[in-house]
Amino acid sequence: GAGVSQSPSNKVTEKGKDVELRCDPISGHTALYWYRQSLGQGLEFLIYFQGNSAPDKSGLPSDRFSAERTGGSVSTLTIQRTQQEDSAVYLCASSQGGLAGVGEQFFGPGTRLTVL
Amino acid sequence: QQQVKQSPQSLIVQKGGISIINCAYENTAFDYFPWYQQFPGKGPALLIAIRPDVSEKKEGRFTISFNKSAKQFSLHIMDSQPGDSATYFCAASSPSNTGKLIFGQGTTLQVKP
């Protein structure tokens, strides 16, 4: 595809339910990032995948959050036992990766998660 | 030390005026400083970026000024247009941090016709 795609675009769930958010990066991009955008916290880094290396999970706010990237392409962010404070827009970004591509990230449109 | 501080939080400019947004960082390991533009309902889009080996970079109406000693950088939008009305984020990253972006809090710009 031409850009990073994310699904669903909107997700409304009840407190305590699990949710899965999907990201399809730009073809050929080896680096993939998840960020969270909320009113109180701005844009926060969550997790980073680069090729087959171990992911950088340093931004995940709690052990209820996890992510995986299958086949070096599609990524899924899972939030277990959702809480109201998890309500935010979850953004995925990809880049070519490696030193030359560091920082030039292309963002998807995001998934707006609302936890009731 | 990972913070990037951005100001102002909001800005109103008349069409044709100059919009200026400022950012300051603390971590001297940062070596890449992008500005992102975000419209409602869309993801952020890279506008312009600079590395610390230059003090200024210009692309069309957009200019980044970078002051390494002061650890500050700013975005100047010349001849601001109503279509520039959006939220602007500065950010910083470094290779040792896997390229993850540390964002400022954002500036909502409104350009009045």
Side-chain angles (χ1 to χ4, degrees):
Chain A
V4 178
S5 60
Q6 293 186 245
S7 60
S9 55
N10 281 283
K11 177 71 177 179
V12 180
T13 190
E14 293 180 346
K15 178 181 173 181
K17 300 284 189 182
D18 298 351
V19 295
E20 285 188 353
L21 312 179
R22 177 188 168 104
C23 171
D24 283 88
I26 293 172
S27 178
H29 280 190
T30 60
L32 186 147
Y33 304 79
W34 283 97
Y35 295 87
R36 179 170 69 176
Q37 184 170 24
S38 56
L39 282 176
Q41 300 298 323
L43 272 157
E44 306 171 275
F45 165 79
L46 296 178
I47 189 169
Y48 160 73
F49 296 91
Q50 170 61 57
N52 295 320
S53 302
D56 175 359
K57 305 179 182 179
S58 60
L60 294 179
S62 78
D63 58 8
R64 296 186 296 104
F65 288 72
S66 64
E68 63 177 20
R69 188 178 185 192
T70 54
S73 181
V74 172
S75 178
T76 302
L77 177 68
T78 301
I79 309 173
Q80 296 179 309
R81 305 181 302 282
T82 52
Q83 303 295 312
Q84 288 182 333
E85 61 263 30
D86 299 334
S87 296
V89 175
Y90 290 83
L91 292 159
C92 176
S94 70
S95 77
Q96 290 182 333
L99 201 59
V102 161
E104 298 186 30
Q105 297 174 29
F106 298 85
F107 283 80
T111 293
R112 179 174 297 277
L113 175 65
T114 303
V115 182
L116 301 177
Chain B
Q1 198 176 15
Q2 287 292 319
Q3 281 188 326
V4 176
K5 296 181 180 179
Q6 183 173 345
S7 63
Q9 188 174 3
S10 63
L11 183 60
I12 300 175
V13 173
Q14 290 295 129
K15 178 181 176 182
I18 301 173
S19 304
I20 301 174
I21 306 171
N22 301 298
C23 282
Y25 63 98
E26 298 172 354
N27 188 346
T28 54
F30 288 145
D31 73 343
Y32 178 73
F33 303 90
W35 284 90
Y36 280 83
Q37 180 187 56
Q38 186 178 31
F39 292 104
K42 305 290 186 182
L46 180 65
L47 190 62
I48 186 172
I50 197 168
R51 295 192 185 268
D53 53 341
V54 296
S55 60
E56 185 175 282
K57 183 175 182 179
K58 184 176 180 178
E59 290 183 1
R61 296 185 293 110
F62 302 93
T63 300
I64 299 180
S65 297
F66 184 82
N67 186 329
K68 188 174 181 178
S69 61
K71 291 185 285 186
Q72 294 176 348
F73 59 110
S74 61
L75 175 69
H76 291 61
I77 306 174
M78 311 299 289
D79 187 26
S80 299
Q81 299 297 312
D84 296 331
S85 297
T87 300
Y88 293 80
F89 293 92
C90 63
S93 73
S94 67
S96 63
N97 272 336
T98 66
K100 68 183 180 185
L101 293 168
I102 309 300
F103 284 93
Q105 288 298 98
T107 297
T108 301
L109 171 65
Q110 181 184 359
V111 180
K112 290 192 169 182

